[in-house]
Amino acid sequence: MNKMMLSTLVATAALFAVANQAHAGTTLDAIKKKGFVQCGISDGLPGFSYADASGKFTGLDVDICRATAAAIFGDASKVKYTPLTAKERFTALQSGEVDILSRNTTWTSSRDGGMGFMFAGINYYDGIGFLTHHKTDLKSAKELDGATVCIQAGTDTELNVADYFKANKMQYTPVTFDRSDESAKALDSGRCDTLASDQSQLYALRIKLGKPDEFTVLPEVISKEPLGPVVRRGDDDWFTIVKWSFNAMLNAEEMGVNSKNVDQLAAKPTTPDMAHLLGAEGDFGKDLKLDNKWAYNIIKQVGNYQESFDRNVGKDSALKIARGQNALWKDGGLQYAPPVR
Protein backbone atom coordinates (compact mmCIF):
# COMPACT_ATOMS: atom_id res chain seq x y z
CA MET A 1 0.00 0.00 0.00
CA ASN A 2 1.51 3.37 -1.01
CA LYS A 3 1.50 6.50 1.14
CA MET A 4 -1.25 8.18 -0.90
CA MET A 5 -3.62 5.19 -0.46
CA LEU A 6 -2.79 5.01 3.23
CA SER A 7 -3.45 8.73 3.77
CA THR A 8 -6.78 8.40 1.90
CA LEU A 9 -7.86 5.51 4.11
CA VAL A 10 -6.85 7.40 7.25
CA ALA A 11 -8.77 10.48 6.11
CA THR A 12 -11.86 8.38 5.30
CA ALA A 13 -11.72 6.68 8.69
CA ALA A 14 -11.45 10.06 10.36
CA LEU A 15 -14.55 11.31 8.54
CA PHE A 16 -16.54 8.27 9.64
CA ALA A 17 -15.33 8.80 13.21
CA VAL A 18 -16.44 12.44 13.16
CA ALA A 19 -19.82 11.47 11.70
CA ASN A 20 -20.35 8.86 14.38
CA GLN A 21 -19.35 11.27 17.13
CA ALA A 22 -21.84 13.79 15.80
CA HIS A 23 -24.65 11.30 16.37
CA ALA A 24 -23.34 9.55 19.48
CA GLY A 25 -25.18 10.38 22.67
CA THR A 26 -27.87 12.62 21.17
CA THR A 27 -30.82 10.49 22.33
CA LEU A 28 -29.19 9.71 25.66
CA ASP A 29 -28.40 13.39 26.23
CA ALA A 30 -32.00 14.34 25.46
CA ILE A 31 -33.32 11.68 27.85
CA LYS A 32 -31.07 12.91 30.66
CA LYS A 33 -32.07 16.52 30.00
CA LYS A 34 -35.84 15.88 30.12
CA GLY A 35 -35.48 13.48 33.06
CA PHE A 36 -37.42 10.47 31.79
CA VAL A 37 -37.57 7.75 29.14
CA GLN A 38 -40.41 8.05 26.60
CA CYS A 39 -41.47 4.47 25.96
CA GLY A 40 -43.67 3.27 23.09
CA ILE A 41 -45.83 0.32 24.18
CA SER A 42 -48.79 -1.67 22.87
CA ASP A 43 -52.30 -0.29 22.91
CA GLY A 44 -53.34 -2.67 25.68
CA LEU A 45 -51.91 -6.21 25.84
CA PRO A 46 -52.18 -7.97 29.22
CA GLY A 47 -48.88 -9.35 30.41
CA PHE A 48 -46.79 -7.16 28.11
CA SER A 49 -48.04 -3.58 28.45
CA TYR A 50 -51.36 -2.92 30.08
CA ALA A 51 -52.82 -0.17 32.28
CA ASP A 52 -54.81 -1.04 35.39
CA ALA A 53 -57.82 0.89 36.68
CA SER A 54 -55.57 3.54 38.20
CA GLY A 55 -53.66 4.01 34.94
CA LYS A 56 -50.49 2.26 36.11
CA PHE A 57 -48.72 0.39 33.30
CA THR A 58 -47.28 -3.07 33.92
CA GLY A 59 -45.96 -5.87 31.74
CA LEU A 60 -42.90 -7.67 30.39
CA ASP A 61 -42.30 -4.92 27.81
CA VAL A 62 -42.97 -2.17 30.34
CA ASP A 63 -40.26 -3.66 32.57
CA ILE A 64 -37.67 -3.13 29.82
CA CYS A 65 -38.40 0.60 29.91
CA ARG A 66 -38.39 0.64 33.71
CA ALA A 67 -35.03 -1.14 33.70
CA THR A 68 -33.43 1.46 31.41
CA ALA A 69 -34.78 4.26 33.60
CA ALA A 70 -33.37 2.56 36.69
CA ALA A 71 -29.99 2.22 34.95
CA ILE A 72 -29.85 5.89 33.87
CA PHE A 73 -31.59 7.70 36.72
CA GLY A 74 -31.49 5.17 39.55
CA ASP A 75 -35.30 5.41 39.49
CA ALA A 76 -37.43 2.93 37.53
CA SER A 77 -40.46 5.23 37.72
CA LYS A 78 -38.91 7.87 35.44
CA VAL A 79 -40.78 6.61 32.36
CA LYS A 80 -43.65 8.07 30.35
CA TYR A 81 -45.65 5.73 28.15
CA THR A 82 -47.12 6.18 24.67
CA PRO A 83 -49.60 3.43 23.70
CA LEU A 84 -49.25 2.70 19.97
CA THR A 85 -51.04 0.50 17.45
CA ALA A 86 -48.97 -1.77 15.21
CA LYS A 87 -49.39 0.70 12.33
CA GLU A 88 -48.30 3.69 14.43
CA ARG A 89 -45.30 2.21 16.22
CA PHE A 90 -42.52 2.60 13.64
CA THR A 91 -43.45 6.15 12.66
CA ALA A 92 -43.45 7.11 16.34
CA LEU A 93 -39.93 5.74 16.79
CA GLN A 94 -38.56 7.18 13.54
CA SER A 95 -39.96 10.65 14.28
CA GLY A 96 -38.51 10.75 17.80
CA GLU A 97 -41.93 10.74 19.48
CA VAL A 98 -40.62 7.84 21.58
CA ASP A 99 -37.07 6.99 22.67
CA ILE A 100 -37.60 3.25 22.67
CA LEU A 101 -40.22 0.91 21.26
CA SER A 102 -40.89 -1.92 23.71
CA ARG A 103 -44.01 -3.31 22.12
CA ASN A 104 -44.02 -7.04 21.22
CA THR A 105 -42.19 -6.23 17.97
CA THR A 106 -40.57 -8.94 15.83
CA TRP A 107 -36.89 -8.64 14.90
CA THR A 108 -36.61 -9.00 11.10
CA SER A 109 -33.94 -8.16 8.53
CA SER A 110 -36.00 -5.39 6.90
CA ARG A 111 -36.69 -3.68 10.22
CA ASP A 112 -33.10 -4.06 11.33
CA GLY A 113 -31.50 -3.08 8.03
CA GLY A 114 -34.02 -1.12 6.00
CA MET A 115 -35.93 1.00 8.51
CA GLY A 116 -33.07 2.57 10.46
CA PHE A 117 -33.67 0.61 13.65
CA MET A 118 -31.60 -1.54 16.00
CA PHE A 119 -32.98 -4.35 18.15
CA ALA A 120 -31.35 -4.38 21.58
CA GLY A 121 -32.20 -7.98 22.42
CA ILE A 122 -34.96 -10.59 22.53
CA ASN A 123 -37.03 -10.42 25.69
CA TYR A 124 -39.58 -12.97 24.45
CA TYR A 125 -39.18 -15.80 21.93
CA ASP A 126 -42.54 -16.33 20.28
CA GLY A 127 -44.29 -17.67 17.19
CA ILE A 128 -47.57 -17.10 15.35
CA GLY A 129 -50.49 -19.36 16.16
CA PHE A 130 -54.28 -19.50 15.88
CA LEU A 131 -57.03 -19.02 18.46
CA THR A 132 -60.40 -20.70 17.78
CA HIS A 133 -63.72 -21.42 19.49
CA HIS A 134 -64.30 -24.92 20.82
CA LYS A 135 -67.50 -25.20 18.75
CA THR A 136 -65.42 -25.28 15.56
CA ASP A 137 -63.99 -28.59 16.81
CA LEU A 138 -60.68 -27.79 15.10
CA LYS A 139 -57.64 -29.73 16.26
CA SER A 140 -55.04 -28.36 13.84
CA ALA A 141 -54.28 -25.29 11.76
CA LYS A 142 -54.17 -27.62 8.75
CA GLU A 143 -57.99 -27.75 9.02
CA LEU A 144 -58.38 -24.00 8.41
CA ASP A 145 -58.90 -24.22 4.63
CA GLY A 146 -61.58 -21.68 3.69
CA ALA A 147 -61.52 -19.99 7.10
CA THR A 148 -62.06 -16.32 7.85
CA VAL A 149 -59.01 -15.12 9.76
CA CYS A 150 -58.87 -12.06 12.03
CA ILE A 151 -55.47 -10.30 11.82
CA GLN A 152 -54.12 -7.05 13.23
CA ALA A 153 -53.07 -4.71 10.44
CA GLY A 154 -49.48 -3.54 10.11
CA THR A 155 -47.98 -6.65 11.69
CA ASP A 156 -45.61 -9.38 10.62
CA THR A 157 -48.57 -11.76 11.09
CA GLU A 158 -50.21 -10.69 7.82
CA LEU A 159 -47.27 -11.92 5.73
CA ASN A 160 -46.67 -15.08 7.74
CA VAL A 161 -50.30 -16.16 7.58
CA ALA A 162 -50.37 -15.59 3.82
CA ASP A 163 -47.20 -17.65 3.44
CA TYR A 164 -48.56 -20.44 5.65
CA PHE A 165 -51.82 -20.82 3.73
CA LYS A 166 -50.01 -20.65 0.40
CA ALA A 167 -47.45 -23.27 1.44
CA ASN A 168 -50.23 -25.62 2.57
CA LYS A 169 -52.38 -24.97 -0.54
CA MET A 170 -55.26 -23.60 1.52
CA GLN A 171 -57.58 -20.65 0.99
CA TYR A 172 -58.60 -18.06 3.59
CA THR A 173 -60.28 -14.67 3.92
CA PRO A 174 -58.35 -12.12 5.99
CA VAL A 175 -60.24 -9.57 8.08
CA THR A 176 -57.87 -6.89 9.38
CA PHE A 177 -58.21 -4.52 12.32
CA ASP A 178 -56.03 -1.66 13.55
CA ARG A 179 -56.28 -2.65 17.22
CA SER A 180 -55.81 -6.01 18.88
CA ASP A 181 -58.96 -5.56 20.98
CA GLU A 182 -61.01 -5.14 17.80
CA SER A 183 -59.75 -8.41 16.35
CA ALA A 184 -60.53 -10.21 19.62
CA LYS A 185 -64.09 -8.81 19.67
CA ALA A 186 -64.58 -9.95 16.08
CA LEU A 187 -63.58 -13.50 17.02
CA ASP A 188 -65.81 -13.39 20.11
CA SER A 189 -68.80 -12.30 18.03
CA GLY A 190 -68.28 -15.04 15.44
CA ARG A 191 -67.26 -12.73 12.64
CA CYS A 192 -64.05 -14.74 12.23
CA ASP A 193 -63.37 -18.47 12.43
CA THR A 194 -59.97 -17.90 13.98
CA LEU A 195 -57.63 -15.17 15.21
CA ALA A 196 -53.98 -15.26 14.10
CA SER A 197 -51.26 -13.58 16.15
CA ASP A 198 -48.17 -14.25 18.25
CA GLN A 199 -49.08 -17.04 20.66
CA SER A 200 -48.29 -14.82 23.64
CA GLN A 201 -50.79 -12.27 22.33
CA LEU A 202 -53.41 -14.99 21.83
CA TYR A 203 -53.17 -15.97 25.49
CA ALA A 204 -53.37 -12.32 26.49
CA LEU A 205 -56.39 -11.61 24.27
CA ARG A 206 -58.19 -14.79 25.33
CA ILE A 207 -58.59 -13.54 28.91
CA LYS A 208 -60.43 -10.49 27.50
CA LEU A 209 -63.10 -12.61 25.81
CA GLY A 210 -66.57 -13.09 27.26
CA LYS A 211 -65.99 -16.80 27.98
CA PRO A 212 -62.23 -17.44 27.71
CA ASP A 213 -62.54 -21.15 28.52
CA GLU A 214 -64.52 -21.68 25.32
CA PHE A 215 -61.50 -20.77 23.19
CA THR A 216 -58.33 -22.72 22.52
CA VAL A 217 -54.95 -22.05 20.94
CA LEU A 218 -54.21 -24.57 18.18
CA PRO A 219 -50.90 -26.47 18.57
CA GLU A 220 -49.10 -25.26 15.42
CA VAL A 221 -46.53 -22.46 15.60
CA ILE A 222 -46.07 -21.26 12.03
CA SER A 223 -43.20 -18.76 12.35
CA LYS A 224 -40.29 -17.48 14.40
CA GLU A 225 -41.17 -14.26 16.22
CA PRO A 226 -38.22 -12.98 18.29
CA LEU A 227 -39.69 -10.00 20.15
CA GLY A 228 -37.60 -7.26 21.68
CA PRO A 229 -36.96 -3.57 22.35
CA VAL A 230 -36.09 -1.31 19.40
CA VAL A 231 -34.23 2.01 19.16
CA ARG A 232 -33.28 4.33 16.29
CA ARG A 233 -29.87 4.13 14.69
CA GLY A 234 -27.51 6.98 15.45
CA ASP A 235 -26.95 6.73 19.21
CA ASP A 236 -24.74 3.82 20.17
CA ASP A 237 -24.62 4.92 23.82
CA TRP A 238 -28.41 4.69 24.19
CA PHE A 239 -28.55 1.39 22.27
CA THR A 240 -25.86 -0.08 24.54
CA ILE A 241 -27.70 0.96 27.71
CA VAL A 242 -30.97 -0.62 26.56
CA LYS A 243 -29.13 -3.81 25.58
CA TRP A 244 -27.24 -4.13 28.85
CA SER A 245 -30.24 -3.24 30.99
CA PHE A 246 -31.92 -6.38 29.67
CA ASN A 247 -28.69 -8.40 29.92
CA ALA A 248 -28.42 -7.42 33.58
CA MET A 249 -31.83 -8.98 34.29
CA LEU A 250 -30.82 -12.22 32.59
CA ASN A 251 -27.45 -12.39 34.32
CA ALA A 252 -29.09 -11.71 37.67
CA GLU A 253 -31.47 -14.65 37.23
CA GLU A 254 -28.62 -16.95 36.24
CA MET A 255 -26.65 -15.91 39.34
CA GLY A 256 -29.65 -16.25 41.66
CA VAL A 257 -29.74 -12.52 42.39
CA ASN A 258 -33.24 -11.08 42.79
CA SER A 259 -34.98 -8.03 44.22
CA LYS A 260 -35.22 -9.64 47.68
CA ASN A 261 -31.60 -10.73 48.15
CA VAL A 262 -29.74 -8.11 46.07
CA ASP A 263 -28.81 -5.98 49.09
CA GLN A 264 -27.24 -8.94 50.88
CA LEU A 265 -25.39 -10.12 47.78
CA ALA A 266 -24.22 -6.63 46.82
CA ALA A 267 -22.57 -6.37 50.24
CA LYS A 268 -21.03 -9.83 49.98
CA PRO A 269 -20.94 -11.19 46.38
CA THR A 270 -20.31 -14.93 46.06
CA THR A 271 -18.51 -14.81 42.68
CA PRO A 272 -16.38 -12.29 40.75
CA ASP A 273 -19.06 -12.05 38.02
CA MET A 274 -21.64 -11.18 40.67
CA ALA A 275 -19.32 -8.53 42.12
CA HIS A 276 -18.92 -7.01 38.65
CA LEU A 277 -22.67 -7.03 37.99
CA LEU A 278 -23.59 -5.43 41.32
CA GLY A 279 -20.82 -2.81 41.27
CA ALA A 280 -18.86 -4.25 44.21
CA GLU A 281 -15.73 -4.65 42.08
CA GLY A 282 -14.43 -2.85 39.01
CA ASP A 283 -15.76 0.25 37.31
CA PHE A 284 -17.93 -1.28 34.62
CA GLY A 285 -20.70 1.30 34.88
CA LYS A 286 -18.28 3.90 33.54
CA ASP A 287 -18.00 1.93 30.28
CA LEU A 288 -21.75 2.38 29.79
CA LYS A 289 -21.74 6.03 30.93
CA LEU A 290 -23.68 4.93 34.01
CA ASP A 291 -23.29 4.87 37.76
CA ASN A 292 -21.58 1.71 39.02
CA LYS A 293 -24.84 0.68 40.76
CA TRP A 294 -26.76 0.66 37.47
CA ALA A 295 -27.46 -3.09 37.52
CA TYR A 296 -28.15 -3.10 41.26
CA ASN A 297 -30.82 -0.44 40.72
CA ILE A 298 -32.45 -2.50 37.96
CA ILE A 299 -32.56 -5.67 40.05
CA LYS A 300 -33.69 -3.90 43.22
CA GLN A 301 -36.49 -1.93 41.56
CA VAL A 302 -37.56 -4.09 38.60
CA GLY A 303 -36.24 -7.56 39.45
CA ASN A 304 -34.41 -10.20 37.45
CA TYR A 305 -35.85 -11.71 34.27
CA GLN A 306 -37.55 -14.58 36.11
CA GLU A 307 -39.31 -12.18 38.47
CA SER A 308 -40.52 -10.06 35.55
CA PHE A 309 -41.63 -13.10 33.53
CA ASP A 310 -43.44 -14.83 36.40
CA ARG A 311 -45.44 -11.82 37.58
CA ASN A 312 -46.40 -10.57 34.12
CA VAL A 313 -46.96 -13.60 31.90
CA GLY A 314 -45.88 -16.67 33.88
CA LYS A 315 -47.02 -18.67 36.89
CA ASP A 316 -47.97 -15.67 39.03
CA SER A 317 -50.01 -14.00 36.27
CA ALA A 318 -53.42 -14.56 34.73
CA LEU A 319 -51.78 -15.84 31.52
CA LYS A 320 -49.87 -18.76 33.14
CA ILE A 321 -47.47 -19.10 30.16
CA ALA A 322 -44.72 -21.68 30.67
CA ARG A 323 -41.13 -20.49 30.29
CA GLY A 324 -40.47 -22.86 27.36
CA GLN A 325 -38.02 -21.25 24.92
CA ASN A 326 -37.77 -18.29 27.28
CA ALA A 327 -36.06 -20.31 29.97
CA LEU A 328 -32.36 -19.66 30.53
CA TRP A 329 -29.92 -21.54 28.33
CA LYS A 330 -28.82 -23.71 31.27
CA ASP A 331 -32.45 -24.79 31.75
CA GLY A 332 -32.98 -25.78 28.12
CA GLY A 333 -34.21 -22.41 26.86
CA LEU A 334 -32.78 -19.74 24.56
CA GLN A 335 -32.21 -16.86 26.97
CA TYR A 336 -28.51 -16.09 27.33
CA ALA A 337 -26.60 -12.95 28.20
CA PRO A 338 -22.92 -12.01 27.91
CA PRO A 339 -21.15 -11.15 31.18
CA VAL A 340 -20.38 -7.80 32.78
CA ARG A 341 -16.61 -7.86 32.60
Side-chain angles (χ1 to χ4, degrees), residues 51-70:
D52 62 18
S54 67
K56 178 183 177 182
F57 286 98
T58 60
L60 198 69
D61 289 338
V62 166
D63 280 351
I64 294 293
C65 298
R66 295 178 63 231
T68 59

Side-chain angles (χ1 to χ4, degrees), residues 153-215:
T155 64
D156 201 39
T157 305
E158 289 183 278
L159 296 175
N160 281 310
V161 168
D163 289 345
Y164 179 77
F165 276 83
K166 182 179 180 180
N168 287 281
K169 297 179 172 57
M170 298 191 301
Q171 301 295 317
Y172 76 105
T173 302
V175 181
T176 59
F177 300 89
D178 285 342
R179 299 184 180 277
S180 57
D181 279 358
E182 295 172 344
S183 58
K185 289 176 182 177
L187 177 67
D188 210 9
S189 68
R191 183 176 175 185
C192 305
D193 300 309
T194 187
L195 170 60
S197 189
D198 296 344
Q199 282 206 332
S200 60
Q201 187 162 353
L202 296 180
Y203 284 107
L205 292 174
R206 184 170 65 176
I207 66 175
K208 290 185 172 184
L209 302 177
K211 296 180 179 179
D213 292 342
E214 294 185 359
F215 292 83

